Amino acid sequence: MRLILMGPPGAGKGTQAKVVAERLGVPAISTGDIFRDNVVQQTDLGRTAQRYMDAGDYVPDEVTNAMVRDRLAQDDAGKGFLLDGYPRTLDQVRTLDAMLAEDGHAIDAVVVLEVDREELVARLLKRAEIEGRTDDTEDVIRRRQEVFAEQTAPLIDVYAERGLVVTIDGSGEIGEVTEQVLSALSSRDAG
Ligand code: ADP
């Protein structure tokens, strides 16, 4: 299965991506995690990405697209994957479509996690205390929410027009959300 997990910052994409991917036997590929790893290792990619991430802005498409292309070319992604945090712009959607089409593949489903705004801010501020991510300050969180609303929320409509969207209430407990995602995917599969 080739899946995309979408949702606003704080919706729990990272958490769900890992568990859901594990249960489906595909790798979870998080662009945010790959960027953060590169920042830690001080690679060229990391240095470029950090400037944007710390401001709450998206890393430029050409940088992100090239990175995802490399990652999807690895063996473990050959039979399927769960993308967390990509695509986030229309340009990324088009690039992903083209990359998959080269091998005759396409996205099977797009899982959208929905959580209300207040709950999102509360979760992110709590995560800031625990993980100390430099982009979890209140100003940057607000900026990330704006960028999501402007640039990424419209992608949900693009995938909805293709009949690929599965919307899940992300406000429950972690395990409940996971079960809802898995059961929604398997009933889609069956149907
Ligand atoms: P969030 O919790 O906001 O969803 P992520 O860990 O997915 O955070 O991403 C953190 C940051 O990494 C983003 O704010 C952005 O700067 C950068 N980033 C991640 N994925 C992408 C992408 N697909 N395109 C551009 N920038 C990205």
Side-chain angles (χ1 to χ4, degrees), residues 7-14 30-33 35-36 49-61 64-65 67-68 84-89 92 124 127 133 135-136 140 144-145 147-148:
K13 291 188 301 292
S30 157
T31 43
D33 283 351
F35 284 135
R36 278 186 289 277
Q50 186 165 26
R51 282 185 283 143
Y52 297 96
M53 293 170 78
D54 284 351
D57 288 325
Y58 288 166
V59 177
D61 286 329
T64 308
N65 286 332
M67 180 180 88
V68 171
D84 158 20
Y86 182 94
R88 271 175 143 110
T89 65
Q92 293 178 12
L124 289 167
R127 182 172 79 185
R133 259 175 62 168
D135 61 350
D136 278 344
V140 178
R144 282 158 57 210
Q145 287 184 319
V147 174
F148 176 84

Side-chain angles (χ1 to χ4, degrees), residues 90-101:
L90 267 178
D91 182 84
Q92 293 178 12
V93 170
R94 287 189 214 105
T95 305
L96 176 63
D97 284 341
M99 283 191 283
L100 295 177

Side-chain angles (χ1 to χ4, degrees), residues 27-184:
I29 299 177
S30 157
T31 43
D33 283 351
I34 302 176
F35 284 135
R36 278 186 289 277
D37 280 348
N38 276 275
V39 170
V40 171
Q41 321 246 339
Q42 285 287 302
T43 65
D44 286 345
L45 175 65
R47 273 188 284 270
T48 304
Q50 186 165 26
R51 282 185 283 143
Y52 297 96
M53 293 170 78
D54 284 351
D57 288 325
Y58 288 166
V59 177
D61 286 329
E62 61 273 21
V63 175
T64 308
N65 286 332
M67 180 180 88
V68 171
R69 172 179 282 281
D70 283 352
R71 180 62 188 87
L72 292 184
Q74 288 170 27
D75 284 348
D76 66 336
K79 290 225 166 60
F81 49 75
L82 193 164
L83 285 168
D84 158 20
Y86 182 94
R88 271 175 143 110
T89 65
L90 267 178
D91 182 84
Q92 293 178 12
V93 170
R94 287 189 214 105
T95 305
L96 176 63
D97 284 341
M99 283 191 283
L100 295 177
E102 284 169 21
D103 301 312
H105 296 140
I107 292 298
D108 297 305
V110 178
V111 176
V112 176
L113 289 180
E114 283 191 338
V115 178
D116 69 49
R117 237 170 193 267
E118 277 168 42
E119 166 86 23
L120 290 174
V121 180
R123 285 186 185 182
L124 289 167
L125 289 173
K126 191 169 156 208
R127 182 172 79 185
E129 284 173 23
I130 299 167
E131 295 181 15
R133 259 175 62 168
T134 50
D135 61 350
D136 278 344
T137 63
E138 204 164 342
D139 283 354
V140 178
I141 289 170
R142 216 168 285 130
R143 174 70 192 145
R144 282 158 57 210
Q145 287 184 319
E146 269 170 35
V147 174
F148 176 84
E150 280 165 22
Q151 300 200 45
T152 304
L155 307 190
I156 298 172
D157 293 337
V158 172
Y159 286 117
E161 273 168 32
R162 300 185 196 173
L164 294 178
V165 171
V166 177
T167 303
I168 301 293
D169 176 4
S171 61
E173 280 173 39
I174 292 172
E176 278 167 21
V177 176
T178 306
E179 293 313 319
Q180 282 181 44
V181 171
L182 290 169
S183 81

